[in-house]
Coordinates of all heavy atoms in Angstrom, one line a residue:
Chain B
T9 N -115.3 -160.9 -23.4 CA -115.6 -162.4 -23.8 C -115.5 -163.3 -22.6 O -116.2 -164.3 -22.5 CB -114.8 -162.8 -24.9 OG1 -113.4 -162.6 -24.7 CG2 -115.1 -162.2 -26.3
K20 N -113.8 -169.2 -23.5 CA -113.6 -168.0 -24.1 C -113.6 -168.2 -25.7 O -114.2 -167.3 -26.4 CB -112.3 -167.4 -23.8 CG -112.3 -166.1 -23.1 CD -111.0 -165.7 -22.6 CE -109.7 -166.1 -23.6 NZ -108.5 -165.4 -23.1
S21 N -113.0 -169.1 -26.0 CA -112.9 -169.2 -27.5 C -114.2 -169.6 -28.2 O -114.4 -169.3 -29.3 CB -111.8 -170.3 -27.9 OG -111.9 -171.4 -27.1
S24 N -115.8 -166.5 -28.5 CA -115.2 -165.8 -29.7 C -115.9 -166.3 -31.0 O -116.1 -165.6 -32.0 CB -113.7 -165.9 -29.7 OG -113.1 -165.5 -30.9
R25 N -116.0 -167.6 -31.2 CA -116.4 -168.2 -32.4 C -117.9 -167.9 -32.6 O -118.3 -167.6 -33.7 CB -116.2 -169.7 -32.3 CG -114.8 -170.1 -32.5 CD -114.7 -171.5 -32.3 NE -113.2 -172.0 -32.2 CZ -112.6 -172.7 -31.2 NH1 -113.5 -173.1 -30.3 NH2 -111.4 -172.9 -31.2
K28 N -118.5 -164.4 -34.0 CA -118.2 -164.3 -35.4 C -118.6 -165.3 -36.4 O -118.2 -165.6 -37.5 CB -116.7 -164.0 -35.6 CG -115.7 -165.0 -35.0 CD -114.4 -164.7 -35.5 CE -114.1 -163.2 -35.4 NZ -114.4 -162.7 -34.0
Y50 N -122.6 -156.2 -24.0 CA -121.3 -156.5 -24.7 C -121.0 -155.8 -26.0 O -121.9 -155.7 -26.8 CB -121.0 -158.0 -24.9 CG -119.7 -158.3 -25.7 CD1 -118.5 -158.2 -24.9 CD2 -119.7 -158.6 -27.0 CE1 -117.3 -158.7 -25.6 CE2 -118.5 -158.9 -27.6 CZ -117.4 -158.9 -27.0 OH -116.2 -159.2 -27.6
Q57 N -109.0 -156.9 -30.9 CA -109.1 -157.8 -32.0 C -107.9 -157.5 -33.1 O -107.4 -158.2 -33.6 CB -110.5 -157.4 -32.8 CG -111.6 -158.1 -32.2 CD -112.9 -157.7 -32.8 OE1 -113.2 -156.5 -33.3 NE2 -113.9 -158.7 -33.0
Chain D
dC8 P -106.7 -158.6 -17.2 OP1 -107.5 -158.1 -16.0 OP2 -107.1 -159.7 -17.9 O5' -106.7 -157.4 -18.4 C5' -106.5 -156.2 -18.2 C4' -106.4 -155.4 -19.5 O4' -105.0 -155.6 -20.0 C3' -107.3 -156.1 -20.5 O3' -108.3 -155.2 -20.6 C2' -106.6 -156.1 -21.8 C1' -105.1 -155.9 -21.5 N1 -104.1 -156.9 -21.8 C2 -102.9 -156.5 -22.5 O2 -102.7 -155.4 -22.8 N3 -102.0 -157.5 -22.7 C4 -102.2 -158.8 -22.4 N4 -101.3 -159.6 -22.7 C5 -103.4 -159.1 -21.7 C6 -104.3 -158.2 -21.5
dG9 P -109.8 -155.9 -20.5 OP1 -110.7 -155.0 -20.1 OP2 -109.8 -157.1 -19.4 O5' -110.2 -156.6 -21.8 C5' -110.3 -155.8 -22.9 C4' -110.4 -156.8 -24.1 O4' -109.0 -157.4 -24.2 C3' -111.4 -157.8 -24.0 O3' -112.0 -157.8 -25.2 C2' -110.5 -159.0 -24.0 C1' -109.3 -158.6 -24.6 N9 -108.1 -159.4 -24.2 C8 -107.8 -159.9 -22.9 N7 -106.8 -160.5 -22.8 C5 -106.1 -160.3 -24.1 C6 -104.9 -160.8 -24.6 O6 -104.1 -161.5 -23.9 N1 -104.8 -160.5 -25.9 C2 -105.6 -159.8 -26.5 N2 -105.4 -159.6 -28.0 N3 -106.8 -159.4 -26.1 C4 -106.9 -159.7 -24.9
dC10 P -113.3 -158.8 -25.8 OP1 -114.2 -158.2 -26.4 OP2 -113.5 -159.7 -24.7 O5' -112.3 -159.6 -26.8 C5' -111.9 -158.9 -28.0 C4' -110.9 -159.7 -28.7 O4' -109.8 -160.1 -27.8 C3' -111.3 -161.0 -29.3 O3' -111.4 -160.8 -30.8 C2' -110.2 -162.1 -28.9 C1' -109.3 -161.2 -28.4 N1 -108.7 -161.9 -27.2 C2 -107.4 -162.6 -27.3 O2 -106.8 -162.4 -28.3 N3 -106.9 -163.2 -26.2 C4 -107.6 -163.4 -25.1 N4 -107.1 -164.0 -24.1 C5 -108.9 -162.7 -25.0 C6 -109.5 -162.1 -26.0
dT11 P -112.1 -162.0 -31.6 OP1 -112.5 -161.4 -32.8 OP2 -112.9 -162.9 -30.8 O5' -110.8 -162.8 -32.0 C5' -109.7 -162.2 -32.8 C4' -108.5 -163.1 -33.0 O4' -108.0 -163.6 -31.7 C3' -109.0 -164.2 -33.9 O3' -107.7 -164.4 -34.8 C2' -108.9 -165.5 -32.9 C1' -107.9 -164.8 -31.9 N1 -108.0 -165.4 -30.5 C2 -106.8 -166.0 -29.9 O2 -105.8 -166.2 -30.6 N3 -107.1 -166.4 -28.7 C4 -108.1 -166.3 -27.9 O4 -108.2 -166.7 -26.6 C5 -109.3 -165.6 -28.5 C7 -110.4 -165.5 -27.8 C6 -109.1 -165.3 -29.8
dT12 P -107.9 -165.2 -36.2 OP1 -107.3 -164.4 -37.3 OP2 -109.4 -165.8 -36.1 O5' -107.1 -166.5 -35.8 C5' -105.9 -166.3 -35.0 C4' -105.2 -167.6 -34.7 O4' -105.5 -167.9 -33.3 C3' -105.7 -168.9 -35.5 O3' -104.6 -169.6 -35.7 C2' -106.8 -169.4 -34.7 C1' -106.1 -169.3 -33.2 N1 -107.1 -169.2 -32.1 C2 -106.5 -169.6 -30.9 O2 -105.4 -170.0 -30.7 N3 -107.4 -169.6 -29.8 C4 -108.7 -169.2 -29.9 O4 -109.4 -169.3 -28.9 C5 -109.2 -168.8 -31.2 C7 -110.6 -168.6 -31.3 C6 -108.4 -168.8 -32.3
dT13 P -104.5 -170.5 -37.1 OP1 -103.1 -170.6 -37.5 OP2 -105.5 -170.0 -38.0 O5' -105.1 -172.0 -36.7 C5' -104.2 -173.0 -36.9 C4' -103.2 -173.0 -35.8 O4' -103.8 -172.5 -34.6 C3' -102.9 -174.5 -35.3 O3' -101.4 -174.8 -35.4 C2' -103.6 -174.8 -34.0 C1' -103.7 -173.4 -33.4 N1 -105.0 -173.1 -32.7 C2 -105.1 -173.5 -31.4 O2 -104.1 -173.9 -30.8 N3 -106.3 -173.3 -30.8 C4 -107.4 -173.0 -31.4 O4 -108.5 -172.8 -30.7 C5 -107.3 -172.6 -32.8 C7 -108.6 -172.2 -33.6 C6 -106.2 -172.8 -33.3
dC14 P -101.1 -176.2 -35.6 OP1 -99.6 -176.3 -35.6 OP2 -101.8 -176.8 -36.8 O5' -101.5 -177.0 -34.4 C5' -101.1 -176.6 -33.1 C4' -101.7 -177.4 -32.0 O4' -102.9 -176.7 -31.8 C3' -102.0 -178.8 -32.3 O3' -101.5 -179.7 -31.3 C2' -103.5 -178.9 -32.6 C1' -103.9 -177.8 -31.6 N1 -105.3 -177.2 -31.8 C2 -106.1 -176.9 -30.7 O2 -105.7 -177.2 -29.6 N3 -107.4 -176.4 -30.9 C4 -107.7 -176.2 -32.2 N4 -109.0 -175.6 -32.5 C5 -106.9 -176.4 -33.3 C6 -105.7 -176.9 -33.1
dA15 P -101.3 -181.3 -31.6 OP1 -99.9 -181.6 -31.2 OP2 -101.9 -181.7 -32.9 O5' -102.3 -181.8 -30.4 C5' -103.5 -181.4 -30.3 C4' -104.1 -181.5 -29.0 O4' -105.2 -180.6 -28.8 C3' -104.8 -183.0 -28.7 O3' -104.8 -183.3 -27.4 C2' -106.1 -182.7 -29.3 C1' -106.4 -181.4 -29.0 N9 -107.2 -180.6 -30.1 C8 -106.7 -180.5 -31.3 N7 -107.6 -179.9 -32.2 C5 -108.8 -179.7 -31.3 C6 -110.0 -179.1 -31.4 N6 -110.4 -178.7 -32.6 N1 -110.8 -178.9 -30.4 C2 -110.4 -179.4 -29.2 N3 -109.3 -180.1 -28.9 C4 -108.4 -180.0 -30.1

Side-chain angles (χ1 to χ4, degrees):
Chain B
T9 48
K20 241 174 37 167
S21 46
S24 172
R25 289 174 188 130
K28 53 177 38 56
Y50 173 77
Q57 283 175 323

